[in-house]
Amino acid sequence: MRTLLATSAFAAAILLQTASAATLTVPSLTVLGTDVFSGPTFTVPVDYSPTDTLSFTVSGIVSLQGGGAFGTNAAGVVVVPGSAGVGQSAPNGSTTFGSLLLGNNVIPFVQLFATDASNGLGSANPPTVLAFSDTIGNIFGSGLSAGTVLEFRISDINTGDNGGQFSIRPDDAGAVPEPGSWLLAASGVALVAGTRLRRRVR
C-alpha cells in the first residue's frame, strides 16, 4: 500500500514537473507562393511561455518569377534557378526572398528558417523538406497568449508571377503535451491509486 502511494506520488510529481515544457502544434496548412501580403492563419489555443516550443515540418517550393523560375525552399535558398542560381539566395530587407515568415499585425513577421548551409545555401542540391523546432521566446522574443492569431506569409514584394506552395504539417513526434494534459494525467494516476487503496483497506 505504501509502495503504491509512493509510486503514484512520484509519477504525479514527474508529470507536474515536466508540464512546464509544452509544444505549440501547428495545424496542417498550405502556404501559396502568392501568400505575400496575407496567408493562412491559426489561433494559439492556450498561453505559451518563452521556453515552450514551436515545431513543424515544411515541404515544397515557391517560385517568385514566371514559369516557375526562382523557386526556393522555406529558407529562401534557390532550388529552381531564376535571377539567382541554385544554392543561392537574395535578401529582401531583413528576410530572404521566398522564405517562410510567421507573425501578425502586432507581432513582427519573422523568417523561421535561417538562410544558411544547414538549409542548403551553397549546395548544388538544396533540400525541399525542412524541419523546424525552436522556443517561442527565440522566435518572437516573448511568450504567446491564448487567442493570438498567427499568420504564415512568403517573403516577396509582389505576387504577379508567383507560384508553387509550401505544405506545413505538425511535428507530433516527441511533442510534449500541454500543461492541462499533464494535470489530467496526474489526476488519473491519483484516482487509480486512491481506488486501489480503498479496495485493499476493505
Side-chain angles (χ1 to χ4, degrees):
M1 179 170 58
R2 288 181 183 170
T3 303
L4 178 62
L5 285 175
T7 303
S8 299
F10 179 71
I14 289 176
L15 290 174
L16 291 172
Q17 182 179 14
T18 313
S20 61
T23 298
L24 172 56
T25 301
V26 177
S28 295
L29 296 169
T30 299
V31 185
L32 302 176
T34 53
D35 289 333
V36 173
F37 304 110
S38 66
T41 63
F42 69 98
T43 303
V44 176
V46 298
D47 291 343
Y48 286 89
S49 76
T51 58
D52 292 332
T53 59
L54 174 67
S55 298
F56 63 91
T57 301
V58 59
S59 60
I61 300 171
V62 299
S63 59
L64 306 185
Q65 294 171 350
F70 198 89
T72 75
N73 64 18
V77 176
V78 177
V79 177
V80 179
S83 57
V86 172
Q88 298 177 9
S89 66
N92 181 24
S94 62
T95 64
T96 305
F97 277 108
S99 61
L100 183 65
L101 311 178
L102 182 63
N104 60 32
N105 292 331
V106 177
I107 301 171
F109 281 86
V110 294
Q111 179 174 328
L112 294 170
F113 294 93
T115 309
D116 60 17
S118 70
N119 291 318
L121 187 65
S123 170
N125 188 26
T128 58
V129 178
L130 301 177
F132 181 85
S133 184
D134 201 354
T135 65
I136 290 170
N138 282 345
I139 302 165
F140 300 113
S142 65
L144 292 170
S145 300
T148 300
V149 177
L150 294 174
E151 179 180 344
F152 284 105
R153 290 184 182 180
I154 302 298
S155 174
D156 198 8
I157 55 174
N158 61 57
T159 62
D161 51 2
N162 292 19
Q165 65 185 37
F166 291 139
S167 296
I168 295 173
R169 69 176 189 269
D171 183 11
D172 295 329
V176 178
E178 297 170 9
S181 301
W182 284 111
L183 291 174
L184 184 60
S187 299
V189 169
L191 181 63
V192 169
T195 302
R196 290 190 177 184
L197 177 62
R198 272 186 260 134
R199 285 182 184 164
R200 288 191 176 190
V201 169
R202 290 179 187 175

